[in-house]
Amino acid sequence: IMQSAPVKPKRRWASVLAMAAAAFVDTSEDQALGILWPQMRLTLGLSVGQLGQVLSISRLVRTLSLPGWGYAADHFSRKALLVGITGLWGLWTVAVGFVDSLSQLLVLRTLSSLGLAVLWPTAFSLLSDLFPSKERGRAAGVMTAVSFAGDLAAFGILPAIAIASPEAWRMGFVLMGVASSLSGLLLLVVNDPPRGSS
């Protein structure tokens, strides 16, 4: 008996490109604090060394929340997680553009870092169902390459914004937050096939 080839899930590459766009924005957003800090610290009256506190709390929160997001990706709608968290969580980054103190910055970076952690475990879970084993590496490679391009974009765009005026760093965070929310809308094209499809 001849067995037909398994049907490939719809919108596989559109899903990869949508998740890659979100990864691009998330990576750019992750670089924003370090790039904009020289102007931020002057406005907020902070020291160079206090950047370490803010970056450390961001990394700690993301590290601790990754397993939780992985659990959520195994038990809830992956598309809903991506659209809801990536889209809505960008608003916390917008809010960073309006901080007036270190304590406000720490709270908002903690909240925004929670959202930045959702993408990768959810995306890898989706890739495992969108692609057979012989194609997953290529899909993950495309997504990761686009993500790394977000670093380059951040270093190209954010310094130019920051030097416009002493308060222009605020616009950098607003821009990153709006881009994050828009990438959440783009994730509406993601196909979330049944788990175990591939």
Side-chain angles (χ1 to χ4, degrees), residues 84-196:
I85 302 300
T86 300
L88 293 176
W89 237 258
L91 298 177
W92 294 118
T93 301
V94 170
V96 171
F98 299 94
V99 299
D100 291 316
S101 67
L102 178 63
S103 59
Q104 291 175 6
L105 179 59
L106 285 170
V107 169
L108 290 173
R109 281 301 291 183
T110 298
L111 291 169
S112 66
S113 294
L114 281 169
L116 286 172
V118 72
L119 178 64
W120 288 103
T122 309
F124 286 141
S125 176
L126 276 168
L127 291 179
S128 70
D129 288 323
L130 289 169
F131 293 89
S133 59
K134 291 184 178 180
E135 297 180 55
R136 280 182 206 137
R138 184 170 23 140
V142 167
M143 186 176 166
T144 306
V146 174
S147 169
F148 287 164
D151 281 330
L152 301 175
F155 285 106
I157 296 168
L158 292 175
I161 291 173
I163 63 172
S165 75
E167 296 276 345
W169 62 268
R170 297 181 184 278
M171 186 52 62
F173 284 104
V174 171
L175 175 68
M176 289 289 96
V178 169
S180 181
S181 293
L182 292 175
S183 74
L185 293 177
L186 184 60
L187 289 164
L188 287 168
V189 307
V190 167
N191 179 16
D192 188 356
R195 289 175 178 83

Side-chain angles (χ1 to χ4, degrees), residues 69 72-74 76-87 118 122:
W69 288 124
D74 287 339
F76 303 106
S77 166
R78 295 170 291 192
K79 182 174 180 174
L81 283 171
L82 289 174
V83 173
I85 302 300
T86 300
V118 72
T122 309

Side-chain angles (χ1 to χ4, degrees), residues 18-106:
M19 291 187 292
F24 177 95
V25 174
D26 282 1
T27 304
S28 300
E29 184 180 338
D30 193 38
Q31 296 295 339
L33 191 65
I35 294 171
L36 299 173
W37 188 257
Q39 287 76 23
M40 288 179 70
R41 73 178 190 86
L42 296 175
T43 303
L44 300 176
L46 304 175
S47 69
V48 173
Q50 285 173 309
L51 172 61
Q53 296 176 35
V54 184
L55 289 177
S56 294
I57 193 73
S58 299
R59 295 288 189 269
L60 178 64
V61 166
R62 193 176 315 178
T63 300
L64 294 176
S65 62
L66 276 167
W69 288 124
Y71 177 87
D74 287 339
H75 293 87
F76 303 106
S77 166
R78 295 170 291 192
K79 182 174 180 174
L81 283 171
L82 289 174
V83 173
I85 302 300
T86 300
L88 293 176
W89 237 258
L91 298 177
W92 294 118
T93 301
V94 170
V96 171
F98 299 94
V99 299
D100 291 316
S101 67
L102 178 63
S103 59
Q104 291 175 6
L105 179 59
L106 285 170

